[in-house]
Coordinates of all heavy atoms in Angstrom, one line a residue:
F112 N 222.7 109.9 146.2 CA 223.9 109.2 145.9 C 224.2 108.1 146.9 O 225.2 107.4 146.7 CB 225.1 110.1 145.8 CG 224.8 111.2 144.8 CD1 224.6 112.5 145.2 CD2 224.7 111.0 143.4 CE1 224.3 113.6 144.3 CE2 224.5 112.0 142.5 CZ 224.3 113.3 143.0
D113 N 223.4 107.9 147.9 CA 223.6 107.0 149.0 C 222.9 105.7 148.6 O 221.7 105.7 148.2 CB 223.2 107.5 150.3 CG 223.7 106.8 151.5 OD1 224.3 105.7 151.3 OD2 223.6 107.3 152.6
T114 N 223.5 104.5 148.9 CA 222.8 103.3 148.6 C 222.2 102.7 149.8 O 221.6 101.6 149.8 CB 223.7 102.3 147.9 OG1 224.8 102.1 148.8 CG2 224.2 102.8 146.6
E115 N 222.3 103.3 151.0 CA 221.8 102.8 152.2 C 220.9 103.8 152.9 O 220.9 105.0 152.6 CB 223.0 102.5 153.2 CG 223.9 101.5 152.6 CD 224.7 100.8 153.7 OE1 224.5 101.1 154.9 OE2 225.6 100.1 153.3
Y116 N 220.0 103.3 153.8 CA 219.1 104.1 154.6 C 219.7 104.3 155.9 O 220.5 103.5 156.4 CB 217.8 103.5 154.7 CG 217.1 103.3 153.3 CD1 216.5 102.1 152.9 CD2 217.0 104.4 152.4 CE1 215.9 101.9 151.7 CE2 216.4 104.2 151.2 CZ 215.8 103.0 150.8 OH 215.2 102.9 149.6
H117 N 219.4 105.5 156.5 CA 219.9 105.8 157.9 C 218.8 106.3 158.7 O 217.7 106.7 158.2 CB 221.0 106.9 157.7 CG 222.1 106.5 156.7 ND1 223.1 105.7 157.0 CD2 222.2 106.9 155.4 CE1 223.9 105.6 156.0 NE2 223.4 106.3 155.0
S118 N 219.1 106.4 160.0 CA 218.1 106.9 161.0 C 217.8 108.4 160.7 O 218.7 109.1 160.4 CB 218.6 106.8 162.4 OG 218.6 105.4 162.8
L119 N 216.6 108.8 160.9 CA 216.2 110.2 160.9 C 216.7 110.8 162.3 O 216.6 110.1 163.3 CB 214.7 110.4 160.8 CG 214.0 110.0 159.5 CD1 212.5 110.0 159.7 CD2 214.5 110.8 158.4
D120 N 217.2 112.0 162.2 CA 217.6 112.6 163.5 C 216.3 113.3 164.1 O 215.3 113.3 163.5 CB 218.7 113.7 163.3 CG 218.4 114.9 162.4 OD1 217.2 115.3 162.4 OD2 219.3 115.4 161.8
D121 N 216.4 113.7 165.3 CA 215.3 114.2 166.1 C 214.6 115.4 165.4 O 213.4 115.6 165.4 CB 215.7 114.6 167.5 CG 216.0 113.3 168.3 OD1 215.5 112.2 167.9 OD2 216.7 113.5 169.4
N122 N 215.5 116.3 164.8 CA 214.9 117.5 164.1 C 214.1 117.1 162.9 O 213.0 117.6 162.6 CB 216.0 118.4 163.6 CG 216.7 119.1 164.8 OD1 216.1 119.3 165.8 ND2 217.9 119.5 164.6
L123 N 214.5 116.1 162.1 CA 213.8 115.6 161.0 C 212.5 114.9 161.4 O 211.4 115.0 160.8 CB 214.6 114.7 160.1 CG 215.7 115.4 159.3 CD1 216.6 114.4 158.6 CD2 215.2 116.4 158.3
I124 N 212.6 114.1 162.5 CA 211.4 113.4 163.0 C 210.3 114.5 163.4 O 209.2 114.4 163.0 CB 211.8 112.5 164.2 CG1 212.5 111.3 163.7 CG2 210.5 112.1 164.9 CD1 213.1 110.4 164.8
D125 N 210.8 115.5 164.1 CA 209.8 116.6 164.5 C 209.2 117.3 163.3 O 208.0 117.5 163.2 CB 210.5 117.6 165.4 CG 210.8 117.0 166.8 OD1 210.2 116.0 167.2 OD2 211.7 117.6 167.5
K126 N 210.1 117.6 162.3 CA 209.6 118.3 161.1 C 208.6 117.5 160.4 O 207.5 118.1 160.0 CB 210.8 118.6 160.2 CG 210.4 119.3 158.9 CD 211.6 119.6 158.1 CE 211.3 120.3 156.8 NZ 212.4 120.6 156.0
Y127 N 208.8 116.2 160.1 CA 207.9 115.5 159.3 C 206.7 114.9 160.1 O 205.6 114.7 159.6 CB 208.6 114.4 158.6 CG 209.5 115.0 157.5 CD1 210.9 115.2 157.7 CD2 208.9 115.4 156.3 CE1 211.6 115.8 156.7 CE2 209.7 116.1 155.3 CZ 211.0 116.2 155.5 OH 211.8 116.9 154.6
M128 N 206.8 114.8 161.5 CA 205.7 114.5 162.3 C 204.7 115.7 162.2 O 203.5 115.5 162.1 CB 206.1 114.3 163.7 CG 206.3 112.9 164.1 SD 206.3 112.7 165.9 CE 206.6 111.0 166.0

Side-chain angles (χ1 to χ4, degrees):
F112 304 108
D113 199 344
T114 58
E115 298 201 8
Y116 298 129
H117 308 280
S118 289
L119 293 170
D120 65 32
D121 291 339
N122 291 334
L123 289 173
I124 288 170
D125 289 343
K126 177 179 181 176
Y127 289 101
M128 269 198 179

